[in-house]
Amino acid sequence: MAIITYREALNQALREEMSRDDRVFLMGEEVAVYNGAYKVSKGLLEEFGEMRVVDTPITELGFAGVGVGAAMVGLRPIVEFMTWNFALLALDQVVNAAAKMLYMSGGQYPMPIVFRGPNGAALQLSAQHSQAWESWLAHIPGLKVVTPGTPYDAKGLLKAAIRDDNPVIMLEGEMLYNTKGEVPAEDYIVPIGKADLKREGEHCSIITNGKMVLVAMNAADQLAKEGIRVDVVDLRTVRPMDVAAITASVRKTNRAVVLEEGWELAGIGAQVVDYIQRECFDDLDAPVVRVHQADVPMPYAKAIEKAAKPDLAKTIAAVKKVMYLG
Amino acid sequence: MASKKKADGKGLPGDAALRKELLHSMLLQRRFEEKVGEAYALGKIGGFCHLYIGQEAVSTGIISMLRPDDYVITTYRDHGQALVRGMTPRSIMAELFGRIDGCSRGKGGSMHLFDRNTNFLGGHGIVGGHVPVAAGVGFAIKYRGGDQVIVCFMGESVVNTGAFHEALNMAALWKLPCIFVIENNKYGMGTAVERAAAIKDLSRRADAYDGMDGEHVDGQDVFAVREAMERALEIARRGPKPVLLEVRTYRYMGHSMSDAVSGTYRTKAELDEYLKRDPINLLKARMLEAGDIDESDVAAMEQEIKTLCQDAWDFADASPEPPLEALYEDVLVDTTS
Ligand SMILES: Cc1ncc(C[n+]2csc(CCOP(=O)(O)OP(=O)(O)O)c2C)c(N)n1
Ligand SMILES: [Mg+2]
């Protein structure tokens, strides 16, 4: 299998799906001439022309709505947000239009649209540019929300999202675009709603998603050196959530750490813990521990930014805590 | 600093002292930001960092006309305006370095310079987001019966956002003392203005609102900017009424530190053409020609500014990082005691 970057994997998914279905088009800020703010759409303008790779003004609410309208009458838009921080301006269209159109119309108007772009903190971008929106979007019935953590999942989930007849939110990791992984040459999709057991262990489950998958894998490597073998359950999709994958792992290990990039209150982890207490109450040997961002807006200064973020050390400490190892 | 233009026999507006101040103000921004570029390359500054180089006549022309009790609000491209408004190079550099003595205590960084002392209401990171905020400041001024104005700087891409239109409509409807300054530097990141805006003369956006004046002005000529600002102030302060000013300028650096200066969306030749109208060189040349200053004055000014910028760097470098407790401070005002 070829080793490619997360960015290239997304680019391949876009190219393949646009070739496969001429109703699919890409729209967003800097996606065409500039090849994408993060170069995800590199070369697509050249290949598909300006009707299908559309540069927009900086008008998130407006072009998200254009996507919704186009989807209502049969096109299959992919709306790229330069980052999800800016997509906040478009939430009315995402939440009040795209997510409810099928329901409000009594099933008459499906909404085959993908809203995608980088999510979460990069480095020192401070409060307005460093936010993970999983739990906000996962809250909304009528949406599907995927958060790939590897190039393989990025390509497979994006292809699945484009083929899906529902609005799918794809949260990419700003810090993941350069990461590499194996991606097969042949056509494949990763089914939406299916978690992936990225590492098998027996002592504890780390349940996570998105960019934090890498952190969990690193933690698993470190812990293995101390003889602690963990399951890493990559949710991949946070709505709908693969509850069976969570409970299967926790029933085996009897201990769980839930790791997420965003804030604690009403976070993704809160929902995971709820599933665990409902389904695995009698299996638990320790209270579940959550790892997440500090409950503050992201600061700019380096050291306190680091202190605010969930990371390897905090994850390892959490695993040790649920294992009563000090 | 506000002054009526008066011919002084040398064909330049204002008096010699004022002209020297203007040159100093623009040169300080330029040299300060060159230092910022250096510090960024050394990793002393991180994150997004947008330089203002090429646009200095806008900040200097506009802000030099304001009173201390007026207000200024702007975007992430905020170093130049902060300096002209009188924030110290030290407090700005320390903020960029992410240090406790920074104007925002190291919490904000390059995009979020704030200073209560000079009514500098911040650099804001979301395109368009601060324009309604400016209307709100205008509302408060009117509410309190004051005669201040708020100047709201924005890039030209902002005129296409919903927030811009919503804000201008309310400002016109309620006759708020807001001066909306569009810094048209021709590009929003890599998108040329004509590829994003369905209107050529951006100042005409004012036409959509009854009673709102709009004009455009050459942003490389600090005197022209000041004259336009004088007219705008007359309307906004006396009116009170909002005004829309489109200042036509150019940015000489990439959009941010991670964007190439030229090559992708603009050519080197285009950049070179605009470099011929460097606002600092234009002013300097006119002053030299008029005999306002000579080369030794310029050299002395350069030296003084160099020292000032180095001092800012040294100060920032010596300032400590915010302590860990600072992470949890300023999330909310403490109402428990
Ligand atoms: C709502 C929103 N969308 C996208 C961005 C990303 N972005 C930051 S600056 C910028 C270009 C803005 O250009 P302009 O308004 O012309 O200001 P300039 O950078 O030229 O000063 C973009 C797209 C953002 N910050 N906010
Ligand atoms: Mg611009």
Side-chain angles (χ1 to χ4, degrees), chain A residues 125-143:
Chain A
L125 302 188
S126 74
Q128 293 184 323
H129 285 77
S130 314
Q131 307 174 90
W133 298 111
E134 281 91 330
S135 72
W136 280 48
L137 294 152
H139 195 60
I140 310 297
L143 297 178

Side-chain angles (χ1 to χ4, degrees), chain A residues 126 300, chain B residues 32-33 36 50 72-83 87-98 102-116 118-125:
Chain A
S126 74
Y300 166 73
Chain B
F32 182 88
E33 287 214 304
V36 169
H50 310 80
V72 175
I73 192 166
T74 187
T75 69
Y76 46 85
R77 199 179 297 286
D78 56 358
H79 313 155
Q81 292 139 0
L83 282 167
M87 290 170 61
T88 65
R90 283 184 165 194
S91 75
I92 299 170
M93 196 66 93
E95 187 59 37
L96 302 187
F97 279 38
C103 56
S104 306
R105 302 185 71 227
K107 294 270 188 75
S110 164
M111 297 189 285
H112 307 302
L113 304 177
F114 285 82
D115 182 36
R116 263 194 109 87
T118 55
N119 284 347
F120 196 81
L121 302 176
H124 297 265

